[in-house]
Amino acid sequence: MPLTSHRQAVPTPVRHAHRRRRAATALLASAVSVCLLAASAPAVPLGIGDRLFPHLGNPGYDVVSYDLALGYSGANDQPLRAVTTIDARMTADLERLNLDFARGTVHSVEVDGAPAAFAGAGEDLVITPEDPLDAGERTRITVWHTSDPVAAGDREGGWVRTADGLVMANQADAAHLVFPCNDHPSDKAMFTFRITAPDGHTAVAGGLPAGVDRTRGATTWTYRTGHPMATELAQVSIGRSTVLRRTGPHGLPLRDVVPAEHRAELEPWLAKTSGQISWMEDKVGRYPFETYGLLMADASTGFALETQTLPLFERELFTDPARPEWYVESVMVHELAHQWFGNSVSPRTWSDLWLNEGHATWYEALYAQERAGRSLEARMKAAYASSDHWRATGGPPAAPEVPEPGRQLGIFRPNVYDGGALVLYALRQEIGRAAFERLERDWVTRHRDGTATTADFVRLASAVAGRDLTGFLNPWLYGATTPPMPGHPEWRSTARAAAPAHGPEASAHRPGGSAHRSGGGRE
């Protein structure tokens, strides 16, 4: 990450009105102690110790909100001007503070209005404020930087260049390729986006619109989230787009972002969204956010992505006549289901990914059965046949193998998609349909706007069933081989791959779980 040591002339934000104090106490925990470095020590990258992404996230603080201001020049191969403002609550005494950031030039940093020293270390931006930061304080960090949409080497994610602009694809570990942040789903925060683009362009972001400011030759759009969001779920679209608005169930504002020239052919697909939301609400309860809509991008990604309130899709998914209607709708429902499972209830660690993808795959398959006659049981039987192979090559659903260096998307494998859905099918077989459906509703209600773990799910399932399910679920979640399926003792699994089922699961598995490029994908 290129860093400049000089400080540019920039406006100074108002200093927080709290008093600095130094606590003369011992370190609170070993995970935090590494943060308390002497000012003279070299800058080092940190992390919160996630099993799959040990250097993601940073200890010692909790982000309350992000304010991300972006200036787009009109060319999607040029860096954007950016200012990221982070309000955070200190959870430990810190002499230095690390942010994740890896694709842009940092010009200057301020902490509570005062200039702060900074340096790069790995994929971290290490900030040393004038005064140490005390546990319990609220602190504002402002970073003036660029955000580069052109990837360096084969590092995936962050900005995606479209035919007419840019969109974001930050899953799993790529938000910090766009803006400085605490890039781990365990630290959710509120977001404000302010995007300035030249006339002829439209900018849309997750959340609700909060103002439009037009000046000569450019427009600034502001959006704010109504609920906390993980960094991997942030979405900004800049392009020559049309925004289509309609009303969904119980007055929910819907807005879709489509390439202007393809509006007419995409409209029939967009009209399906309201009915799909009603279908999901019948299954698990009220839609959890302030708005919803589809972002259809002119880009070749090979996947769909569940970015919060504004999921990302390839336009070609909807315009390719080779893809049957039931298949496309299944992909749509997969990303919609994520708004409950993965977005509203986010994984505490990346090993809990199956809670996102297994549930989204489950409702994708259930929708295909109810609306298109595609047998859920047949799909689960096919998944069972492949389950031992998936476990051998990618780990069990709740303990996926650590991705190879530079291949972070390697965690998005069949074991967390259909393998995760298979766990849910086995659980429904074990406790019955009524208890299972009650569990699903209780899960998204109890953990709404928060994070949760696999252990939380096992505990709640046990409470709903009225008996301890640890002994039943742990082999399904963590075992090297697949347990017998309740109600189907004749089902067999093998360590060799079975023929893939016909459906979205037969394609490449990529972020969001709804990869739709034909011909298989990376595993």
Side-chain angles (χ1 to χ4, degrees):
M1 171 175 56
L3 298 168
T4 59
S5 59
H6 64 280
R7 185 173 178 276
Q8 293 184 336
V10 291
T12 301
V14 177
R15 178 185 294 272
H16 283 190
H18 58 249
R19 177 175 57 86
R20 293 287 181 212
R21 58 180 174 78
R22 292 306 305 149
T25 57
L27 301 180
L28 299 179
S30 59
V32 171
S33 66
V34 294
C35 288
L36 306 180
L37 300 173
S40 59
V44 296
L46 300 177
I48 61 172
D50 188 286
R51 186 181 71 86
L52 299 180
F53 298 101
H55 291 294
L56 276 188
N58 295 284
Y61 63 93
D62 175 64
V63 176
V64 176
S65 66
Y66 293 93
D67 187 306
L68 180 58
L70 298 166
Y72 178 67
S73 68
N76 67 3
D77 60 353
Q78 298 298 313
L80 289 76
R81 305 179 311 279
V83 181
T84 297
T85 302
I86 299 171
D87 285 334
R89 180 180 61 85
M90 298 298 105
T91 59
D93 297 338
L94 300 180
E95 294 184 1
R96 285 178 171 174
L97 181 145
N98 282 44
L99 297 173
D100 301 302
F101 187 52
R103 190 182 292 166
T105 300
V106 175
H107 297 302
S108 62
V109 177
E110 289 183 351
V111 176
D112 293 329
F118 60 92
E123 295 198 348
D124 278 16
L125 171 64
V126 184
I127 298 168
T128 305
E130 286 185 342
D131 299 312
L133 305 172
D134 295 339
E137 289 185 338
R138 288 283 292 266
T139 297
R140 173 166 292 180
I141 305 107
T142 306
V143 183
W144 284 261
H145 63 98
T146 63
S147 184
D148 195 343
V150 179
D154 60 354
R155 186 73 161 88
E156 298 176 302
W159 289 115
V160 173
R161 296 164 62 194
T162 68
D164 60 351
L166 295 169
V167 296
M168 285 185 190
N170 294 334
Q171 199 177 73
D173 67 330
H176 69 281
L177 303 183
V178 176
F179 59 99
C181 57
N182 200 31
D183 199 6
H184 193 273
S186 61
D187 191 1
K188 298 168 73 168
M190 305 298 283
F191 276 75
T192 298
F193 301 94
R194 310 175 197 273
I195 310 111
T196 302
D199 289 348
H201 294 77
T202 300
V204 184
L208 288 172
V212 178
D213 183 17
R214 302 186 189 280
T215 58
R216 178 174 295 182
T219 302
T220 299
W221 289 265
T222 301
Y223 293 85
R224 290 193 177 94
T225 61
H227 298 264
M229 180 169 68
T231 51
E232 52 129 350
L233 300 174
Q235 184 57 270
V236 169
S237 164
I238 308 171
R240 300 186 183 277
S241 306
T242 295
V243 180
L244 305 174
R245 304 186 187 279
R246 67 196 79 210
T247 301
H250 45 80
L252 179 71
L254 303 180
R255 53 89 172 86
D256 302 296
V257 184
V258 302
E261 63 181 298
H262 297 285
R263 172 178 177 169
E265 61 184 322
L266 295 173
E267 276 274 16
W269 294 106
L270 301 173
K272 298 177 183 291
T273 296
S274 184
Q276 292 170 348
I277 293 173
S278 293
W279 183 88
M280 276 298 303
E281 290 188 333
D282 286 343
K283 302 300 181 187
V284 296
R286 189 80 166 236
Y287 175 74
F289 297 122
E290 63 274 15
T291 185
Y292 188 69
L294 277 57
L295 168 57
M296 298 181 171
D298 256 330
S300 179
T301 61
F303 59 82
L305 185 63
E306 68 269 22
T307 40
Q308 191 160 309
T309 75
L310 188 62
L312 172 65
F313 297 86
E314 280 187 355
R315 174 188 58 80
E316 288 185 355
L317 170 66
F318 303 91
T319 56
D320 182 352
R323 296 188 176 104
E325 182 174 347
W326 72 265
Y327 171 88
V328 176
E329 287 202 50
S330 293
V331 176
M332 294 171 69
V333 169
H334 184 111
E335 305 310 324
L336 173 60
H338 269 309
Q339 305 303 311
W340 285 264
F341 300 96
N343 296 12
S344 180
V345 184
S346 298
R348 188 81 49 81
T349 75
W350 278 110
S351 296
D352 301 309
L353 176 64
W354 81 275
L355 288 166
N356 301 13
E357 301 301 350
H359 276 101
T361 302
W362 173 262
Y363 289 102
E364 161 200 313
L366 191 61
Y367 185 89
Q369 173 173 275
E370 292 188 7
R371 296 300 176 92
R374 314 293 301 187
S375 171
L376 174 67
E377 182 175 312
R379 178 166 176 172
M380 293 299 99
K381 183 177 181 180
Y384 191 92
S386 296
S387 180
D388 279 357
H389 170 71
W390 293 341
R391 290 167 186 259
T393 57
E401 288 187 358
V402 176
E404 298 176 7
R407 293 179 60 86
Q408 288 87 339
L409 296 182
I411 66 170
F412 294 94
R413 301 170 67 97
N415 59 333
V416 299
Y417 290 86
D418 279 69
L422 190 65
V423 174
L424 298 176
Y425 182 81
L427 178 59
R428 193 180 74 167
Q429 292 286 104
E430 177 71 11
I431 68 176
R433 185 184 301 267
F436 178 81
E437 291 175 354
R438 186 165 65 253
L439 166 64
E440 294 289 272
R441 287 177 171 270
D442 288 354
W443 176 253
V444 296
T445 300
R446 177 170 301 197
H447 297 289
R448 183 175 181 177
D449 287 338
T451 63
T453 66
T454 299
D456 293 327
F457 187 80
V458 174
R459 280 192 292 270
L460 185 59
S462 299
V464 170
R467 57 188 172 93
D468 187 359
L469 291 172
T470 305
F472 173 77
L473 281 171
N474 275 2
W476 280 96
L477 293 165
Y478 300 105
T481 58
T482 311
M485 176 60 71
H488 294 287
E490 75 282 4
W491 285 11
R492 295 289 181 267
S493 189
T494 174
R496 298 182 63 184
H502 178 61
E505 75 281 9
S507 301
H509 289 264
R510 294 281 302 276
S514 295
H516 45 76
R517 185 160 311 286
S518 59
R522 301 179 308 170
E523 293 190 2

